[in-house]
């Protein structure tokens, strides 16, 4: 079975967007971590939450009708709600480096965040904290190429849990960018979906729920439609979170619409997506560095494409994981795909 043209397309990175830095912290004590996307000079921001079980911080301030227009970083983290503490460390790092909203007596960094549930992967008592968020910012400042796969917020990510964790596969974090008419749109996506990650060009599963024998993909959509019952799922135990960034100049309303459009990319690359057990959340950042503006129709198309690319990269870059107790999470490259 040959790969689609989509699968071999250049990936790029969210850091290709002028004004954007990104970095990871990966906890070596168990597979978990956090990732940060930084806009030191501030970026107009928006957010769209589609999953029914989100874990977020500071998303209300991004509503178009609310006062604050720009933020300075976005944090993505494992550790479920505990992982939101990573944003506190990012705030501290940014303040130390003079980044933030000038409120007269200080510079106040504004850092929204979203988390995914990776607690079953290793010791749940180990999760990203403020020190982890601080370290991710320090890593971003080095300017090193952005790693993908089993790092940062994707370190403990798992996909394809519809029929139980024992049939799932390793998820991860991926990045991509798209350029059109002098404007760049990039995405960073940590994929911990309950559904399968699929090739957007063919709809064929790349990673997800495996068959009972464990050596091939089951194809979650087809399995559900032929009547196979899903495994009981804990609400919020699955989530895909990410950041879209562009150098186009956007209003706050337009940034929110860009985040909305990014979910089209998730819908093309994850099936099923936006379920009652997922907390799917996408942020959008606009640095305004580009002189050109191709229009919102083109930007929305670019955002969906970048998100879909980044989601596929998240599983293609992932590597297998063997956990204590015998649980094995193979990677995309380990299995033949369902037809």
């Amino acid at each position: 079975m040959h790969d689609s043209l989509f699968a071999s397309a250049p990936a790029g990175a969210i850091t290709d967007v002028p004004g954007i830095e990104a970095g990871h912290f990966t906890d070596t004590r168990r597979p978990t971590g956090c990732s940060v996307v930084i806009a030191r000079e501030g970026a107009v921001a928006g957010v769209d939450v589609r999953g029914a079980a989100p874990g977020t911080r500071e998303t209300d301030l991004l509503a178009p009708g609310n006062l604050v227009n720009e933020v300075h970083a976005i944090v993505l983290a494992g550790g479920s709600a505990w992982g939101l503490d990573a944003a506190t460390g990012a705030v501290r790092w940014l303040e130390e480096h003079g980044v933030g909203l000038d409120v007269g007596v200080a510079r106040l960094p504004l850092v929204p965040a979203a988390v995914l549930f990776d607690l079953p992967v290793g010791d749940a008592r180990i999760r990203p904290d403020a020190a982890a968020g601080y370290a991710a910012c320090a890593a971003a400042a080095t300017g090193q190429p952005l790693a993908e796969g089993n790092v940062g917020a994707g370190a403990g990510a798992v996909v394809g849990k519809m029929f139980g964790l024992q049939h799932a596969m390793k998820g991860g974090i991926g990045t991509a960018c798209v350029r059109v008419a002098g404007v760049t749109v990039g995405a960073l996506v940590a994929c911990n979906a309950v559904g399968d990650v699929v090739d957007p060009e063919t709809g064929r599963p790349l990673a997800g729920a495996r068959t009972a024998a464990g050596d091939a993909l089951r194809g979650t959509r087809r399995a559900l439609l032929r009547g196979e019952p899903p495994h009981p799922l804990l609400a919020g135990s699955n989530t895909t979170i990410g950041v879209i960034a562009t150098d186009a100049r956007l209003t706050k309303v337009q940034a929110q619409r860009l985040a909305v459009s990014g979910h089209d990319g998730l819908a093309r690359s994850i099936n099923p997506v936006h379920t009652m057990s997922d907390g799917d959340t996408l942020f959008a950042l606009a640095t305004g560095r580009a002189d050109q503006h191709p229009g919102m129709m083109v930007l929305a198309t670019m955002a969906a494409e970048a998100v879909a690319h980044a989601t596929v990269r998240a599983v293609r870059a992932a590597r297998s994981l063997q956990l204590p107790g015998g649980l094995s999470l193979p990677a995309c490259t380990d299995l033949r795909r369902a037809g």
Side-chain angles (χ1 to χ4, degrees):
M1 184 180 300
H2 62 81
D3 291 341
S4 75
L5 293 176
F6 183 97
S8 60
I14 194 170
T15 48
D16 293 335
V17 177
I20 293 295
E21 302 166 70
H24 305 298
F25 168 79
T26 306
D27 199 320
T28 58
R29 296 173 296 168
R30 86 159 177 98
T32 193
C34 62
S35 304
V36 63
V37 177
I38 299 174
R40 292 192 190 225
E41 296 181 13
V44 176
V47 66
D48 188 49
V49 179
R50 293 289 179 92
T56 58
R57 162 180 163 150
E58 296 275 40
T59 51
D60 282 352
L61 68 83
L62 301 181
N66 288 344
L67 181 63
V68 171
N69 199 49
E70 294 184 342
V71 303
H72 306 95
I74 303 290
V75 169
L76 309 176
S80 192
W82 284 295
L84 291 171
D85 191 35
T88 301
V91 168
R92 181 163 59 88
W93 188 92
L94 291 166
E95 181 187 16
E96 289 177 3
H97 289 78
V99 177
L101 175 68
D102 186 355
V103 292
V105 294
R107 284 197 170 271
L108 176 62
L110 299 173
V111 184
V115 293
L116 56 77
F117 185 93
D118 61 2
L119 300 179
V121 184
D123 187 346
R125 295 170 297 180
I126 299 170
R127 50 253 185 175
D129 55 12
Y134 189 98
C137 289
T142 66
Q144 295 297 311
L146 192 61
E148 299 174 282
N150 298 17
V151 296
V158 180
V159 298
K161 290 161 278 186
M162 188 68 72
F163 303 101
L165 191 61
Q166 70 275 21
H167 300 301
M169 292 178 63
K170 187 68 185 71
I173 194 166
T175 187
C177 78
V178 178
R179 294 184 181 88
V180 176
V183 170
T184 304
V185 176
L188 179 68
V189 175
C191 186
N192 188 55
V194 67
D196 296 342
V197 175
V198 303
D199 185 327
E201 298 297 308
T202 66
R204 289 173 174 155
L206 298 170
R210 290 175 289 144
T211 58
D215 60 350
L217 287 171
R218 183 183 312 227
T220 294
R221 177 179 64 88
R222 291 180 178 177
L224 291 173
L225 291 175
R226 63 176 173 255
E228 292 188 33
H231 187 84
L233 298 169
L234 176 65
S237 58
N238 315 274
T239 289
T240 298
I241 52 179
V243 182
I244 302 160
T246 181
D247 54 352
R249 185 174 291 109
L250 300 181
T251 66
K252 202 173 178 184
V253 170
Q254 290 172 326
Q256 195 267 339
R257 293 306 304 176
L258 201 67
V260 169
S261 299
H263 281 280
D264 290 352
L266 292 186
R268 294 206 297 264
S269 56
I270 301 172
N271 197 336
V273 71
H274 305 144
T275 75
M276 293 295 290
S277 295
D278 287 291
D280 303 329
T281 300
L282 291 179
F283 298 92
L285 299 174
T287 64
R289 295 279 191 95
D291 295 328
Q292 299 85 352
H293 192 303
M296 285 305 297
M297 185 68 74
V298 175
L299 282 175
T301 302
M302 294 169 69
E305 193 78 356
V307 167
H309 273 271
T311 304
V312 169
R313 284 293 310 164
V315 296
R316 285 192 175 277
R319 295 295 175 261
S320 61
L321 189 64
Q322 192 75 35
L323 295 172
L327 178 62
S328 178
L329 296 170
C332 172
T333 53
D334 298 328
L335 299 185
R336 60 185 176 89
R337 294 198 298 278

